Amino acid sequence: MIHQYDAVIVGAGIAGLTAALQASQTCHVAVLSKIYAPRAHSGSAQGGISAALGNEEEDHWEWHMYDTVKGGDYLTDQDIAQILAREAPQRLIELEHLGVPFSRNTQGKIEQRRFGGHTRNFGEAPVRRACYASDRTGRVIMDALYDHCMVRGVEIFDEVFITSLLRSEGKVCGVAGYKLATGEPMIFHAKAVLLATGGCGRIFKTTSMAFAATGDGFALAYDAGVPLEDMEFVQFHPTGIHKLGILVSEAARAEGGILRNGKGEAFMERYAPTLKDLAPRDIISRAILTEIAEDRGINGKDFVYLDLSHLGKAQLEQKLSEVTSFVQTYLGIDASQSPIPVAPTCHYMMGGIPTDAVGHVLADGKNQVLGGLYAAGECACVSVHGANRLGTNSLIDLVVFGKRAGTDIARYVAQNNLPSLPSGAESAVKEKAQGLLESQGNERISQIRAEMQKTMTQQCSVFRDRPNLEEALCKIGELKARYAQVGLSFKGKRCNYELEDALELGNMLKLAEAIAYSALLRQESRGAHFRNDYPQRNDHDWLKHTLLAQTPNGIQVDYKPVTVTRFKPRARTY
């Protein structure tokens, strides 16, 4: 079946819905989601969305920009960080006007809390910059955007799996995929396509991301010849529930939660004397694993405690009700009485599909635009987070750059004709699915996926070095070869989630290779990328972005410079 729109958006999270709402002012827009759209992972964001409103204390966008650049360990493109910090307050006001029910302070203004790495006066002390709605901030933003998209006539297609981008006349002209319920091929022919498919945390064994976070948007671009940027920078959130990876929001430490080791020590003072438990995530994750490695985990085990017991039941119920309910549900722990066992969990990708400030996908290191293709949100790399994202900067990234992309899509649609549809689009979808359905291979998806996750977690996570990265790449190469021999036990087309698993696994294996390969290339430590064999940051050789592209001859490597405007790189201490 062929559908025709002005613009098609793949992904129904906050970036996708923001772009859809903006573009729909003048365009006929469709949003495609491989899950039921309101379940998009943006809805799980808990702690807040940053903007220098100054509702609680003095704050300025220049301070926010500085924190974003420093938090990213100076790999952030500073012109982009300036856009984020300057436009954030206006985007917050627009969200409020859409009906987002932010928490209020005693003056009736949007309430703001502290968050890791956000400071006043260029690093002097923590500042209250995170706007929030209890600990359900992403959920309420998602609901407001979804409702307004419905009112605006945006058409949403649930449970459609997209397998390829369509190109003709040198431009992207749509996407191809199939309906999960029936297996029926679906073609979406459009002038513009936006990828907003979220992250790929399922590559790792323990992650805070949803099951749908399998990197499909990254892979769509990568398969179309677009390079991926800065894939070595993977964020591990310090406070995942031990063994489960489910997030205990940074809001818990913002409200006064304290990390303690097996001796009961509030150990963050050793690693970040000024910000302590509100240091950036990369620093706290390494601190936790260092405490564990030096036998100061809880009873010698691989976790530490997050202590909220001193906050009292009333504050926990008012400010952290979702966090405490998760802990009660999954661990049977009353957080007002007992500490929570936590350890780092894969949480966010700083790298992704390279874009400019209005969401154009960039086809090479010279920033050539690929016509008709946009990206926004976690699958994109506009390079605002550099080597490490600060908490609450993700949600504001989604609305600032989602709106910019939607605005430019409307402009592009008005100025361009619909390219012709390439022949054979439907048959290509059928052949891809049929190849997997008819395979007689004896390899199983679950076994290959488990081995990939184990490899990436043990050899390519918080601490890295050459021997482990080389071993990881070797193992991923073996898994890719075995993937070619995957056989499905269910051969039907209707609701074949084994087929979906197979397609997702193929995507994740490519991205696992890109992450490990980029990490091996970067011989320094910066932000979330820490090499035991190169423990220092090296601005002379490595203040640059990594680009990896797939070619018939293997992976091609390129680099491009970091944009430095106001803040010269300096030692990053907290």
Side-chain angles (χ1 to χ4, degrees):
M1 181 176 292
I2 298 175
H3 301 266
Q4 199 171 87
Y5 291 88
D6 292 327
V8 166
I9 291 168
V10 186
I14 290 175
L17 293 180
T18 301
L21 187 60
Q22 185 66 17
S24 65
Q25 293 183 26
T26 56
C27 301
H28 189 202
V29 179
V31 172
L32 317 180
S33 173
K34 75 172 180 179
I35 59 175
Y36 177 52
R39 291 180 57 209
H41 187 56
S42 296
S44 67
Q46 297 172 330
I49 176 169
S50 57
L53 296 180
N55 286 353
E56 307 286 343
E57 57 186 314
E58 183 181 4
D59 198 6
H60 302 280
W61 70 262
E62 292 92 340
W63 297 355
H64 186 188
M65 176 189 171
Y66 169 79
D67 290 335
T68 300
V69 171
K70 181 181 176 183
D73 216 348
Y74 296 92
L75 195 76
T76 303
D77 282 339
Q78 296 187 18
D79 53 340
I80 301 297
Q82 179 168 328
I83 290 171
L84 180 90
R86 289 192 75 158
E87 296 185 6
Q90 186 58 38
R91 297 292 85 78
L92 252 294
I93 292 167
E94 290 168 1
L95 288 175
E96 185 188 34
H97 290 175
L98 289 178
V100 175
F102 288 110
S103 297
R104 299 284 168 172
N105 63 19
T106 55
Q107 297 177 306
K109 297 179 178 177
I110 294 174
E111 194 164 15
Q112 295 182 278
R113 58 170 49 131
R114 298 186 176 107
F115 239 77
H118 291 278
T119 69
R120 62 178 165 84
N121 202 19
F122 305 106
E124 201 171 79
V127 71
R128 295 179 187 274
R129 184 177 294 147
C131 310
Y132 63 95
S134 186
D135 54 358
R136 295 178 173 83
T137 312
R139 178 73 271 153
V140 296
I141 295 173
M142 275 274 301
D143 289 347
L145 290 169
Y146 187 89
D147 289 349
H148 282 271
C149 280
M150 292 293 95
V151 171
R152 192 65 65 73
V154 173
E155 294 186 42
I156 295 184
F157 291 79
D158 294 321
E159 298 188 329
V160 175
F161 194 101
I162 299 303
T163 55
S164 61
L165 296 173
L166 302 177
R167 298 177 69 166
S168 72
E169 304 169 27
K171 301 173 182 175
V172 170
C173 63
V175 294
Y178 71 100
K179 192 171 185 177
L180 289 169
T182 63
E184 169 195 10
M186 299 186 79
I187 305 299
F188 292 87
H189 186 198
K191 292 181 182 178
V193 172
L194 172 77
L195 300 175
T197 56
C200 56
R202 286 288 153 187
I203 288 171
F204 293 85
K205 184 177 180 181
T206 304
T207 179
S208 63
M209 294 191 207
F211 282 99
T214 54
D216 307 325
F218 296 73
L220 286 171
Y222 202 35
D223 287 346
V226 174
L228 297 180
E229 180 175 343
D230 292 341
M231 291 295 287
E232 61 269 42
F233 297 103
V234 181
Q235 180 168 84
F236 285 78
H237 194 292
T239 55
I241 294 177
H242 180 235
K243 289 190 175 178
L244 300 178
I246 296 169
L247 196 65
V248 179
S249 169
E250 198 166 315
R253 283 172 283 127
E255 295 297 334
I258 298 171
L259 290 162
R260 298 189 185 281
N261 62 19
K263 295 181 176 180
E265 296 171 328
F267 58 86
M268 278 311 301
E269 190 162 355
R270 281 199 290 275
Y271 301 90
T274 301
L275 298 189
K276 300 176 183 144
D277 294 276
L278 287 179
R281 292 168 177 174
D282 59 325
I283 292 173
I284 298 183
S285 288
R286 286 195 291 274
I288 289 173
L289 294 182
T290 299
E291 291 295 305
I292 292 169
E294 295 178 357
D295 293 329
R296 293 190 292 276
I298 305 300
N299 299 323
K301 297 182 179 177
D302 59 344
F303 63 89
V304 297
Y305 278 144
L306 175 62
D307 186 3
L308 307 180
S309 59
H310 55 288
L311 300 182
K313 211 175 227 346
Q315 185 175 350
L316 291 177
E317 286 180 356
Q318 181 185 359
K319 300 288 184 69
L320 300 168
S321 59
E322 188 164 284
V323 165
T324 52
S325 70
F326 282 172
V327 173
Q328 183 71 52
T329 299
Y330 292 106
L331 300 178
I333 287 176
D334 179 348
S336 69
Q337 301 294 320
S338 305
I340 306 165
V342 295
T345 181
C346 179
H347 185 60
Y348 189 83
M349 302 295 299
M350 273 70 74
I353 305 163
T355 67
D356 64 14
V358 294
H360 292 130
V361 168
L362 306 175
D364 56 33
K366 296 177 181 174
N367 294 336
Q368 181 177 339
V369 170
L370 177 53
L373 186 60
Y374 294 77
E378 188 174 346
C379 73
C381 182
V382 67
S383 195
V384 72
H385 305 303
N388 174 68
R389 177 177 67 78
L390 295 185
T392 71
N393 264 357
S394 175
L395 290 185
I396 197 63
D397 164 6
L398 305 184
V399 294
V400 167
F401 294 103
K403 179 169 183 176
R404 283 175 151 260
T407 302
D408 202 76
I409 285 170
R411 177 202 61 79
Y412 182 85
V413 165
Q415 295 176 355
N416 288 271
N417 297 321
L418 183 66
S420 59
L421 196 63
S423 60
E426 272 190 314
S427 58
V429 176
K430 289 179 183 174
E431 286 170 11
K432 190 165 188 174
Q434 209 62 31
L436 285 163
L437 291 171
E438 294 177 355
S439 169
Q440 299 301 311
N442 57 8
E443 291 286 351
R444 290 293 171 258
I445 297 163
S446 59
Q447 183 63 35
I448 294 175
R449 184 173 56 213
E451 291 183 38
M452 172 194 68
Q453 292 170 333
K454 179 181 177 183
T455 298
M456 293 300 286
T457 298
Q458 292 184 345
Q459 297 176 304
C460 192
S461 58
V462 176
F463 292 106
R464 301 162 170 177
D465 60 33
R466 173 175 286 278
N468 274 299
L469 291 170
E470 288 180 338
E471 199 172 321
L473 279 168
C474 185
K475 180 67 177 180
I476 294 164
E478 174 206 318
L479 295 176
K480 288 178 73 175
R482 287 169 53 190
Y483 176 76
Q485 301 303 316
V486 156
L488 307 188
S489 56
F490 177 53
K491 307 291 186 182
K493 293 181 179 177
R494 291 183 176 275
C495 299
N496 190 337
Y497 293 106
E498 194 179 6
L499 173 61
E500 182 184 359
D501 285 347
L503 293 167
E504 290 175 341
L505 178 59
N507 290 340
M508 289 192 289
L509 285 168
K510 293 171 199 165
L511 302 181
E513 183 180 53
I515 291 168
Y517 196 67
S518 297
L520 180 62
L521 290 172
R522 185 171 286 273
Q523 296 178 354
E524 65 158 355
S525 291
R526 184 185 297 272
H529 170 71
F530 191 92
R531 290 277 299 255
N532 290 323
D533 44 356
Y534 297 95
Q536 303 301 319
R537 197 179 77 197
N538 178 352
D539 290 333
H540 182 268
D541 296 321
W542 289 101
L543 187 61
K544 57 187 177 183
H545 300 294
T546 310
L547 296 168
L548 293 189
Q550 291 186 120
T551 75
N553 299 319
I555 294 176
Q556 178 179 297
V557 182
D558 197 3
Y559 296 96
K560 65 179 182 180
V562 174
T563 302
V564 178
T565 57
R566 296 185 61 167
F567 305 111
K568 291 183 179 178
R570 61 173 66 175
R572 180 170 171 255
T573 57
Y574 290 92

